[in-house]
Amino acid sequence: MQQAVPDAGLPPPAELVDGFARAATAAPGPPGGGPELRAAAAGYWHRRGLATDPGHVAAAPGGPALLLALVAAVGGEVLLPRPSASWYAAQPAVLGRAVHRVPTTAESGGAPDPVALLETVRRVRAEGGDPRLLVLSVADDPTGTVPPPELVHDACEAAAREGLLVVSDETYRDTLHDPHATVLVSPAEMLPDDVVVLADLGGTLTPPGWPAAVARFPAGRAGTALRDAVLAVLGTAVPPLPPPVEAAAAAALAEPPAVTGRLAAGIRLHAALTAAVRDVLTAAGALVRPPQAGYHVYADLEALRRDLARGGVVDAVDLESALVRALGPGARARAVGGAHRFGDDLTALRLRVATGPLLGDAGGAHAAALASAHARPPAAAATTLTPAAVLPPPTPAEPAAAAAAGAVPADQPEPAEWPQVAEALRSLGSALTELTGARR
């Protein structure tokens, strides 16, 4: 099984670990999170141009829990882009709600094609269905793309026209590989009365092992009523956030330098890794959109169908199984997920490769990778990574800390040349070469 949110594979800052430990004996807060956490989330969105009242925020132990509560509160059936994050469809399924997939455009994933959305809603209603909620993503898992604002706007307008509530998953909005070349606009800026913004902090600010997510509800009476309904579900069906996780989430949402520095270094690291994975996949003949955000790449191997079929690979399950075997046991096996896991066609020869597992099993190698990303000078990072993600000059205390964490000199090899990553990339490339018969 794939985890809900791809992991950057990096250790949390010591500042969050200390806060986590200090709150170990605290009493649990109310459903939806305590005032400190909700205020921190409101500040986080305010810094991104979304004025937010803490009274219109709710938190839960992970994005799946929040989406479950939203689906239960809104009622009806759910529409999802095809493909979409693996955890979206599981929540309606738990509640016995139907899920309807809407194709995305050739340009990007994350947002459904507006015309196809209208056609799907009207067809479902004509068949007696009751679609009420659309989930989309402006920084997409699994495709790693950012849909253009005009596409997001058209999809949201189509949803509003049909009376759908839009849930905008913005988990990866802060992981753009090149913010100067990529425009990301939240649907909440376009249709503030019809959009709930959801962010799973495990994708960016906290480790996935500390599950926490926040949701921003529309202002006004309808938004308040929806938040109250969601809190009622959370209070009866979902355990509250553990106090250590809530404390760490509040600290992370305040975005102290230790947290933003780790995130910036992680973006530099994974932008290089996603580029390296794309090179391996395209060299084998796959079609891969250039990754723009996050820690994952989505590849289409339909052009190789005839060659793959000779090796017994005829669908997404076969493709995943073959590549998992090639990557071997341990963390690397979690890097590959077939298209079927993301609501794509089972017969499609597509897959997602997550870059976090390519760093290997958790341990000292992860700390060294983060220190290496911190130590990389702007000139070296700018060759393959966004200038906006470059950290500010280190303070006098940072060199010693970086050295203690295992930082290497500035002339270090690129991340794709690190032994554990290079081996994983070679295994992936070799498996694709053998599966397509290039060596026969």
Side-chain angles (χ1 to χ4, degrees), residues 257-276:
V259 170
T260 56
R262 172 189 179 273
L263 178 58
I267 294 168
R268 291 207 302 269
L269 171 65
H270 285 280
L273 292 177
T274 54

Side-chain angles (χ1 to χ4, degrees), residues 104-204:
T104 55
T105 67
E107 186 174 7
S108 67
D113 179 280
V115 174
L117 175 61
L118 289 172
E119 291 175 347
T120 301
V121 170
R122 292 164 185 173
R123 173 182 55 79
V124 170
R125 285 180 176 154
E127 295 171 353
D130 183 23
R132 296 190 193 177
L133 190 147
L134 167 68
V135 183
L136 55 76
S137 176
V138 292
D140 186 44
D141 169 21
T143 67
T145 60
V146 176
E150 57 271 21
L151 174 61
V152 176
H153 179 270
D154 290 348
C156 289
E157 279 212 331
R161 194 181 314 150
E162 295 299 325
L164 304 177
L165 176 73
V166 175
V167 176
S168 175
D169 178 14
E170 300 185 9
T171 295
Y172 292 105
R173 69 166 295 155
D174 296 328
T175 67
L176 300 185
H177 298 171
D178 187 352
H180 294 304
T182 308
V183 179
L184 183 152
V185 180
S186 171
E189 299 178 60
M190 303 170 180
L191 297 173
D193 296 333
D194 301 298
V195 176
V196 174
V197 178
L198 186 152
D200 193 314
L201 307 186
T204 52

Side-chain angles (χ1 to χ4, degrees), residues 10 30 32 38 50 74 115 121 127 138-139 159-160 189 216 254 273 285 291 313-314 349 360 362 375 384 414:
L10 300 173
R38 290 186 286 105
L50 292 173
V74 173
V115 174
V121 170
E127 295 171 353
V138 292
E189 299 178 60
R216 175 191 182 273
L273 292 177
V313 174
V314 298
L349 292 172
T384 56
E414 290 294 322

Side-chain angles (χ1 to χ4, degrees), residues 104-417:
T104 55
T105 67
E107 186 174 7
S108 67
D113 179 280
V115 174
L117 175 61
L118 289 172
E119 291 175 347
T120 301
V121 170
R122 292 164 185 173
R123 173 182 55 79
V124 170
R125 285 180 176 154
E127 295 171 353
D130 183 23
R132 296 190 193 177
L133 190 147
L134 167 68
V135 183
L136 55 76
S137 176
V138 292
D140 186 44
D141 169 21
T143 67
T145 60
V146 176
E150 57 271 21
L151 174 61
V152 176
H153 179 270
D154 290 348
C156 289
E157 279 212 331
R161 194 181 314 150
E162 295 299 325
L164 304 177
L165 176 73
V166 175
V167 176
S168 175
D169 178 14
E170 300 185 9
T171 295
Y172 292 105
R173 69 166 295 155
D174 296 328
T175 67
L176 300 185
H177 298 171
D178 187 352
H180 294 304
T182 308
V183 179
L184 183 152
V185 180
S186 171
E189 299 178 60
M190 303 170 180
L191 297 173
D193 296 333
D194 301 298
V195 176
V196 174
V197 178
L198 186 152
D200 193 314
L201 307 186
T204 52
L205 299 180
T206 62
W210 303 353
V214 289
R216 175 191 182 273
F217 292 83
R221 187 174 300 174
T224 299
L226 177 58
R227 179 181 178 272
D228 290 347
V230 166
L231 291 181
V233 176
L234 292 175
T236 57
V238 178
L241 276 166
V245 174
E246 180 163 342
L253 284 164
E255 299 183 289
V259 170
T260 56
R262 172 189 179 273
L263 178 58
I267 294 168
R268 291 207 302 269
L269 171 65
H270 285 280
L273 292 177
T274 54
V277 169
R278 181 175 184 254
D279 287 346
V280 169
L281 293 167
T282 54
L287 177 64
V288 186
R289 298 186 188 100
Q292 298 170 291
Y295 321 127
H296 37 271
V297 177
Y298 202 64
D300 187 329
L301 283 74
E302 287 293 328
L304 304 173
R305 178 171 290 277
R306 181 176 299 178
D307 294 332
L308 289 168
R310 285 198 292 266
V313 174
V314 298
D315 59 24
V317 175
D318 294 337
L319 185 60
E320 177 188 298
S321 298
L323 294 180
V324 165
R325 287 194 299 271
L327 289 172
R332 293 187 321 196
R334 298 194 300 272
V336 175
H340 60 294
R341 297 190 182 274
F342 309 100
D344 216 337
D345 293 336
L346 174 63
T347 58
L349 292 172
R350 292 189 279 271
L351 76 157
R352 186 191 73 176
V353 180
T355 49
L358 300 182
L359 295 173
D361 293 310
H366 288 190
L370 184 59
S372 169
H374 272 289
R376 186 173 298 278
T383 59
T384 56
L385 305 173
T386 166
V390 172
L391 293 175
T395 64
E398 284 179 348
V408 294
D411 60 352
Q412 63 186 293
E414 290 294 322
E417 298 172 2

Side-chain angles (χ1 to χ4, degrees), residues 276-277 279-285 323 326-327 353 421-439:
V277 169
D279 287 346
V280 169
L281 293 167
T282 54
L323 294 180
L327 289 172
V353 180
V421 177
E423 182 185 353
L425 293 173
R426 281 196 299 271
S427 298
L428 181 62
S430 297
L432 289 169
T433 298
E434 290 194 14
L435 286 172
T436 55
R439 292 183 179 175

